Amino acid sequence: MINQLAGIKRKSKTKKNTRKKEFHNLTSAKSIGILFDTLDQKNFSVVKNFSEDLQQKGYKVQTVGWINANELPDFGIAQKILLYTNKDIKWSGEPNIPELNDFITNKFDLLFVLSNSEHLSIKYITQVSLASCKVGSLKGNCDHLDLMIDQGKNYSIEKLISESLNYLSQIKK
């Protein structure tokens, strides 16, 4: 029931958004958003390295990660990654914090959705995001992706990143 109500809320929000769908490859993209989850502990370090690599290549990158908890763990140093918890979202997956709303309304050229999670916030952000081109895994949360990578049963965040970059570097705009 909650999933259905949340779906109705997402659909309503999507109708109001002014997303301009446009395909981007690695040459045409200037700004990149990354959405991921920390359900697997290694995801944080993999995404952090991916984000830093993209920044070193000259892309403007903003990274957001969901932590399945009510409090943020102490990472010891200030991070360039916006992390949010279950307390930072409403029952529908809609954000309670302005930083997450800013991420959603940012018109990234590319949005990498590096998650198979069915969590309402991941679905909400993916669906409502104003990013021009959304890239992610064919499994799970793929209803609103523009480029879906099929990894079969061998899903890994590293493989998803690698295959996404491979396709985005080969496709001509």
Side-chain angles (χ1 to χ4, degrees):
M1 179 73 165
I2 288 180
N3 279 338
Q4 290 174 330
L5 292 172
I8 292 168
K9 188 158 182 87
R10 284 192 311 271
K11 194 177 255 186
S12 169
K13 191 77 166 182
T14 303
K15 285 181 183 177
K16 294 177 189 174
N17 84 15
T18 56
R19 177 179 179 232
K20 180 184 171 197
K21 290 183 185 181
E22 181 180 0
F23 185 79
H24 282 277
N25 58 25
L26 291 178
T27 304
S28 66
K30 305 293 181 240
S31 62
I32 296 175
I34 301 171
L35 174 63
F36 73 103
D37 66 59
T38 60
L39 295 175
D40 187 332
Q41 289 183 349
K42 69 178 179 185
N43 287 1
F44 181 83
S45 61
V46 169
V47 170
K48 183 174 183 263
N49 291 336
F50 176 51
S51 176
E52 289 171 353
D53 184 51
L54 290 172
Q55 288 173 10
Q56 288 174 356
K57 291 179 179 172
Y59 297 101
K60 182 181 174 198
V61 180
Q62 189 176 359
T63 306
V64 168
W66 167 60
I67 295 177
N68 189 16
N70 289 326
E71 300 292 329
L72 284 175
D74 182 15
F75 286 105
I77 57 172
Q79 299 293 327
K80 294 180 183 177
I81 296 175
L82 171 64
L83 297 171
Y84 70 96
T85 67
N86 297 329
K87 281 187 175 179
D88 298 323
I89 53 173
K90 299 177 184 176
W91 63 268
S92 61
E94 188 175 2
N96 275 333
I97 57 174
E99 298 88 355
L100 213 43
N101 281 316
D102 292 344
F103 182 83
I104 290 169
T105 58
N106 194 328
K107 295 180 180 179
F108 298 109
D109 294 328
L110 288 170
L111 173 66
F112 287 97
V113 181
L114 304 176
S115 174
N116 272 342
S117 175
E118 292 288 330
H119 191 262
L120 290 175
S121 70
I122 300 287
K123 285 183 173 184
Y124 185 93
I125 293 168
T126 301
Q127 185 170 347
V128 178
S129 170
L130 297 180
S132 297
C133 183
K134 302 173 187 179
V135 180
S137 178
L138 181 60
K139 286 185 175 182
N141 185 30
C142 71
D143 295 349
H144 299 281
L145 297 175
D146 302 306
L147 176 62
M148 294 161 269
I149 309 297
D150 185 3
Q151 295 183 297
K153 295 179 181 178
N154 300 321
Y155 175 84
S156 77
I157 194 167
E158 295 95 338
K159 188 175 174 188
L160 178 58
I161 290 169
S162 170
E163 290 186 21
S164 297
L165 292 175
N166 182 41
Y167 284 112
L168 289 170
S169 64
Q170 290 181 18
I171 297 172
K172 306 291 183 224
K173 184 174 177 186

